[in-house]
Amino acid sequence: MRNVSVIGVGMIPFGKYPNHQLSDLGWPAVKAAIGDARIDPSRIEAAYCGTAFGGMMAGQRILGRIGISGIPVTNVENACSSSSTAFRQGVLAIKSGQYDFVLVIGVEKLSRFGGGTLPLEREDWEVSQGIVMPAVYAMRARRYMYEFGLSQEQLALVSVKSRRNGALNPDAQMTTEVTLEEVLASRPIADPFTLLQCCPPGDGAAAVVLCTQALAAQFRSDPVHVVASDLTSGTFMPGFRDMTIPDITVRGAKHAYEEAGLGPNDIDVAEVHDAFSIAELMYYEAFGFCERGAAGSFLETGGSDLNGQVAVNPSGGLLSKGHPVGATGAAQIVEIVRQLRGECGARQVKDAKVGLTHATGGGLTGFDHGACSIHIFQR
């Protein structure tokens, strides 16, 4: 199995683009990634495109805009893990020797729905009875608060940190800081969440160019190496489930750490799937950044700040950068690659050498989540 490196990344600022088609969002990110890689587009042998709501042939539609055609294009849907799953497919294709150069795209246009919660699969029993994702995470939050004494203020501090980081990120959808008081006073959504504790939907695209590690130095002096790539699905469990433990992430983290030969203490910077404020706290524990039940104090004492023990969501995360579902995983990878290259300006994590991305999603009856993709990178 061959080693894989990232040689190019690109994305567009996340936001609302009501007058753009999906392909209009995607091709500028692809062009930016190819330019960043300093590679002739003709060298790209295959493309993998992740999108949850983008419709048929999303990858072909995007690549056709910039004259890339005739190569194998695989379109991937895996809920919020769509483009991180596409990235894993690209990694495996290079590892196996099938290709030397691969393009990965993540793209989504959620403004087409006009706002509100995202449509879920009506075939699912709980969805047919009215369950929505803010309610699922709100139940997790309430149980965690009951079990471990997490306060409303500690929960809201996640959003304060995220917006502080997002204010330093020109690609973020939300670029203004907020106070604790503003988070708590914002409109109620699903108890205990207020509006500023829920990720904003929007539109966006991100792209990544991969190649074999042996060839990477021909294009960049600072390639970032992929040292772990894991994808796992939720396990079905009827009846009681401990909602304070994101089992799918715990299992995926174990696999990724084993593949990389690293552990929690080796991670300098992480982009985790903070769709709602409680999620980031639970993922501190799932990845071993702190002990069970200690996430609130870990955050409060600066453990996840830019200069903390492990900088979590320096991009602003989903809460600030936004969550165009199919684009999220690829955008997380863009952020980590830029962090490891030292390109992030005011939000740069000092001496970052190892970074992690984590995208999970797809609530289903009986599953803690549908899919979870975790990647670890090293410079």
Side-chain angles (χ1 to χ4, degrees):
M1 299 290 277
R2 303 186 301 176
N3 295 324
V4 181
S5 299
V6 177
I7 58 170
V9 294
M11 65 180 291
I12 66 170
F14 284 4
K16 301 289 180 67
Y17 295 86
N19 298 319
H20 286 58
Q21 296 180 341
L22 188 86
S23 50
D24 295 324
L25 303 175
W27 74 258
V30 172
K31 185 177 179 181
I34 292 173
D36 187 55
R38 305 161 191 169
I39 188 174
D40 190 300
S42 65
R43 300 289 297 273
I44 295 170
E45 300 166 273
Y48 297 85
C49 179
T51 183
F53 299 102
M56 292 189 292
M57 302 296 169
Q60 289 90 333
R61 284 151 50 201
I62 291 167
L63 294 179
R65 291 292 185 95
I66 53 175
I68 298 177
S69 61
I71 63 173
V73 177
T74 303
N75 294 290
V76 178
E77 186 281 308
N78 218 7
C80 304
S81 298
S82 291
S83 58
S84 53
T85 301
F87 182 86
R88 173 173 161 80
Q89 294 303 110
V91 168
L92 292 176
I94 292 175
K95 275 183 171 290
S96 68
Q98 188 173 20
Y99 306 116
D100 290 332
F101 298 94
V102 161
L103 172 69
V104 176
I105 310 167
V107 64
E108 206 74 83
K109 181 178 170 61
L110 297 182
S111 61
R112 63 192 284 256
F113 295 117
T117 59
L118 293 180
L120 301 177
E121 179 52 60
R122 300 289 295 180
E123 180 181 312
D124 183 271
W125 185 83
E126 289 184 349
V127 172
S128 71
Q129 301 304 305
I131 198 70
V132 291
M133 294 312 296
V136 171
Y137 278 93
M139 288 189 285
R140 291 173 179 155
R142 271 295 168 208
R143 190 66 197 181
Y144 188 96
M145 295 169 80
Y146 173 81
E147 294 283 353
F148 300 110
L150 181 76
S151 70
Q152 192 85 42
E153 289 74 20
Q154 287 174 312
L155 184 64
L157 281 174
V158 175
S159 299
V160 176
K161 177 185 72 70
S162 296
R163 291 290 286 268
R164 184 168 63 243
N165 292 349
L168 304 174
N169 182 4
D171 290 327
Q173 186 168 340
M174 302 296 179
T175 56
T176 57
E177 294 191 44
V178 294
T179 65
L180 176 63
E181 291 73 24
E182 287 173 323
V183 175
L184 293 172
S186 60
R187 176 164 55 90
I189 298 297
D191 186 61
F193 299 142
T194 59
L195 180 65
L196 295 181
Q197 295 177 70
C198 306
C199 64
D203 310 328
V208 183
V209 178
L210 294 168
C211 75
T212 65
Q213 187 171 318
L215 295 172
Q218 296 180 20
F219 300 91
R220 293 197 66 102
S221 61
D222 56 355
V224 171
H225 309 305
V226 182
V227 295
S229 178
D230 182 77
L231 173 67
T232 188
S233 295
T235 54
F236 183 79
M237 184 183 296
F240 175 79
R241 179 190 293 273
D242 186 345
M243 298 186 76
T244 68
I245 302 174
D247 173 69
I248 190 172
T249 297
V250 172
R251 289 186 289 112
K254 181 176 183 294
H255 299 159
Y257 286 147
E258 288 176 353
E259 182 181 348
L262 300 170
N265 293 333
D266 297 305
I267 306 300
D268 299 309
V269 55
E271 286 281 311
V272 304
H273 198 268
D274 59 325
F276 300 88
S277 53
I278 189 60
E280 180 172 316
L281 297 175
M282 293 172 68
Y283 296 139
Y284 294 167
E285 299 174 12
F287 283 107
F289 300 150
C290 68
E291 297 296 322
R292 281 270 290 146
S297 59
F298 183 76
L299 169 71
E300 209 167 16
T301 56
S304 57
D305 285 354
L306 291 178
N307 60 352
Q309 176 183 315
V310 52
V312 178
N313 291 332
S315 70
L318 280 62
L319 288 171
S320 182
K321 185 178 62 187
H323 186 28
V325 175
T328 288
Q332 290 177 325
I333 293 165
V334 171
E335 176 70 17
I336 291 300
V337 169
R338 288 174 174 170
Q339 286 285 346
L340 298 185
R341 290 179 182 172
E343 297 175 344
C344 289
R347 69 181 189 283
Q348 177 63 48
V349 177
K350 186 178 179 181
D351 297 326
K353 296 180 176 64
V354 180
L356 176 151
T357 65
H358 161 257
T360 184
L364 293 167
T365 302
F367 293 87
D368 55 341
H369 263 134
C372 178
S373 186
I374 297 169
H375 296 90
I376 300 178
F377 303 84
Q378 193 167 24
R379 66 173 172 89

